[in-house]
Amino acid sequence: MDNFMAARSQMALSLGFHIIFSCIGMVMPFFMAVSHYLWLKTNKPVYKNVTKAWSKGVAIFFATGAVSGTVLSFELGLLWPEFMKHAGPIFGMPFSLEGTAFFIEAIALGFYLYGWNRFNKWFHWFTGVVVGISGIASGILVVSANSWMNSPTGFDYINGKYTNIDPIKAMFNPAWFSQALHMSIAAFAATGFAVAGVHALMIMRQKNINFHKKAFRIAAVFGIVASILQPLSGDISAKMVAKRQPAKLAAMEAHFKTEEYSPLIIGGIPDVKNKKVDYALELPGLLSFMVHDDFKTPVKGLDQIPERDQPPIAVTHYSFQIMVALGMLMMGIGVIYLIAQFKKRNWFDKTWFLKLFIAATPVGFIAIEAGWTVTEVGRQPWIIQGIMRTKDAVTPMPGIGYSFYLFTAVYLTLSVAVIFLLYRQIKMVPEIYDNTKPSTH
């Protein structure tokens, strides 16, 4: 493995792990705050127990997210020094503000975890809300930096030099809103389904049924609402990609030929050599409609993009198809949940209904990983779209392959530790409810 591939692989590994920890750390505090609010309003002990259990999970993911995020910060300088040399002064502001949001989150979490029976009950609840808000703000600020790489603004690039730098304009670049919206909703959908799936499994096993049903309902509602909203944010993101990164969109759709009534490709195997897609379902004109709001206007295809500027087509296309398919699956489960909520309430106690959520536990995070693959691989060969190529930003330092293997071992160890801690936390849920009593919905 050469240095360039090792550096890219290490960054991909770090991002792949960190995004799971950070998404859960961003979203779980809101679950915790809702449960806490329900306890304050109803005074039912079950909600207090759910809140305390979830707060421990929040602490676990805050710690792991902090560690993996710190590693990523160092890796930017270690692996991509040329990139940081030029880009750092331009998009340093969102990273600085992200650090501020992180400190606020840490302080608020400390108040929350140790504030039981010490603060006013509503102030204590509010500190939990602050944990969630600052976590979301932190995530949005990091995504702002990434969106700048996809849509670089806030500077003039003249004769190889970056001048007239405007950090505010760089932070609020044209792609930041669509990416931040899409990522935030995805985090809620993935975490909601994952948490609901874990509690559904406990219900199936007849473990603390009342406790787990309350927790399941809170997490499921968050996940379902987010999954139904996600296609709207996806449409906004796709239109931005079409405008700012036509090569990425063409690779996502394996759209080889620029033509009127550009078809939307569903599935298929891209044949890059012969410039076609085998075994795909084509919907004529639909891609044109999704991009231009009419069925006839051509969408720029790969035939109008030099090969040296094209991203890896197969990887980008497959990742995009996986993301969309799993997103639609979650939305379908969401519709089933809504039917159960308003028409078929007996479904909540059906084995098939619980198994549906158990099976969907990892689906949202697989979709997130696929989506980030589209974002990062689809931008290649650029690290800064249209400005700096990835190969020109990599460190000349030798031995990056060894660093990649070391970090792989570290992240695998960290994952095992997190799984162990979460498993122990779930097992420690107190047996304080009578599992033989039927629950009400």
Side-chain angles (χ1 to χ4, degrees):
M1 182 183 296
D2 61 24
N3 263 13
F4 179 56
M5 185 54 67
R8 288 191 63 192
S9 298
Q10 183 172 326
M11 203 70 191
L13 175 80
S14 301
L15 277 169
F17 275 94
H18 177 66
I19 198 169
I20 302 298
F21 301 146
S22 61
C23 282
I24 298 174
M26 286 163 52
V27 173
M28 278 292 293
F30 289 100
F31 298 2
M32 177 183 76
V34 168
S35 179
H36 194 166
Y37 176 81
L38 292 172
W39 173 60
L40 293 176
K41 295 297 288 185
T42 66
N43 206 32
K44 293 181 179 180
V46 62
Y47 288 119
K48 182 178 181 181
N49 281 277
V50 170
T51 303
K52 287 196 168 185
W54 277 347
S55 69
K56 293 175 182 178
V58 168
I60 292 170
F61 282 104
F62 176 83
T64 52
V67 171
S68 57
T70 302
V71 170
L72 270 172
S73 298
F74 283 114
E75 283 180 339
L76 283 172
L78 173 68
L79 302 177
W80 313 104
E82 194 65 23
F83 167 71
M84 291 303 295
K85 173 184 175 182
H86 298 290
I90 303 173
F91 72 44
M93 179 173 285
F95 276 127
S96 299
L97 294 175
E98 190 274 336
T100 303
F102 173 79
F103 284 128
I104 293 172
E105 183 182 6
I107 293 168
L109 182 59
F111 279 1
Y112 190 83
L113 292 176
Y114 297 102
W116 290 96
N117 303 319
R118 292 181 174 87
F119 296 138
N120 172 276
K121 65 179 183 179
W122 287 107
F123 175 77
H124 182 221
W125 170 79
F126 178 70
T127 61
V129 175
V130 171
V131 174
I133 293 173
S134 54
I136 285 288
S138 179
I140 289 174
L141 288 164
V142 170
V143 171
S144 173
N146 180 268
S147 66
W148 178 84
M149 296 164 69
N150 293 322
S151 181
T153 51
F155 65 97
D156 293 325
Y157 185 65
I158 303 172
N159 297 326
K161 295 184 178 180
Y162 300 79
T163 61
N164 300 324
I165 293 172
D166 184 346
I168 299 296
K169 188 175 181 181
M171 184 166 68
F172 296 107
N173 60 80
W176 86 268
F177 175 75
S178 59
Q179 277 196 220
L181 179 67
H182 195 59
M183 186 65 235
S184 298
I185 295 176
F188 275 96
T191 306
F193 272 90
V195 175
V198 170
H199 290 290
L201 178 62
M202 294 298 104
I203 296 169
M204 279 275 294
R205 293 180 174 178
Q206 299 292 302
K207 302 287 187 180
N208 309 310
I209 293 178
N210 192 31
F211 174 96
H212 289 293
K213 281 196 172 183
K214 299 298 186 187
F216 169 81
R217 295 292 293 277
I218 294 171
V221 168
F222 271 100
I224 286 156
V225 171
S227 68
I228 292 173
L229 292 175
Q230 188 67 306
L232 300 177
S233 71
D235 180 65
I236 295 171
S237 293
K239 282 181 167 60
M240 180 55 64
V241 169
K243 182 178 180 180
R244 309 290 300 193
Q245 297 176 289
K248 178 186 286 187
L249 180 71
M252 286 160 55
E253 293 290 344
H255 182 52
F256 288 101
K257 185 179 179 181
T258 305
E259 58 185 347
E260 294 183 341
Y261 301 100
S262 298
L264 180 70
I265 302 294
I266 299 177
I269 301 174
D271 183 347
V272 178
K273 181 179 180 180
N274 296 308
K275 313 297 182 185
K276 64 176 185 174
V277 184
D278 297 322
Y279 314 113
L281 174 63
E282 294 190 9
L283 304 177
L286 193 55
L287 183 60
S288 292
F289 178 78
M290 293 175 71
V291 172
H292 300 296
D293 294 324
D294 74 76
F295 289 96
K296 186 177 180 180
T297 304
V299 175
K300 188 175 184 179
L302 291 162
D303 58 343
Q304 292 191 5
I305 300 167
E307 285 194 14
R308 67 189 299 267
D309 294 338
Q310 294 180 9
I313 297 167
V315 173
T316 307
H317 176 70
Y318 294 141
S319 299
F320 179 68
Q321 295 292 315
I322 290 170
M323 179 188 71
V324 172
L326 296 181
M328 296 301 293
L329 174 62
M330 287 189 290
M331 187 170 67
I333 295 173
V335 171
I336 293 173
Y337 183 95
L338 292 177
I339 294 172
Q341 176 65 36
F342 296 107
K343 295 291 185 180
K344 300 285 187 179
R345 297 182 74 83
N346 63 311
W347 285 4
F348 285 108
D349 294 314
K350 299 294 184 181
T351 299
W352 65 265
F353 184 83
L354 296 172
K355 285 183 176 179
L356 195 62
F357 278 88
I358 295 169
T361 300
V363 164
F365 289 116
I366 296 172
I368 284 179
E369 297 286 6
W372 271 100
T373 301
V374 172
T375 299
E376 298 303 301
V377 175
R379 190 177 59 246
Q380 300 309 310
W382 306 100
I383 192 169
I384 306 175
Q385 180 68 39
I387 303 293
M388 179 184 287
R389 292 180 182 271
T390 309
K391 65 182 179 62
D392 296 328
V394 72
T395 179
M397 184 180 70
I400 297 299
Y402 298 108
S403 174
F404 168 66
Y405 299 132
L406 174 63
F407 275 86
T408 300
V410 169
Y411 276 112
L412 288 175
T413 303
L414 184 61
S415 298
V416 171
V418 170
I419 292 170
F420 170 75
L421 289 171
L422 291 176
Y423 176 77
R424 189 179 70 169
Q425 179 60 33
I426 293 169
K427 294 286 286 185
M428 287 173 62
V429 172
E431 296 274 357
I432 61 173
Y433 298 104
D434 182 0
N435 294 340
T436 64
K437 293 181 181 179
S439 63
T440 58
H441 297 287

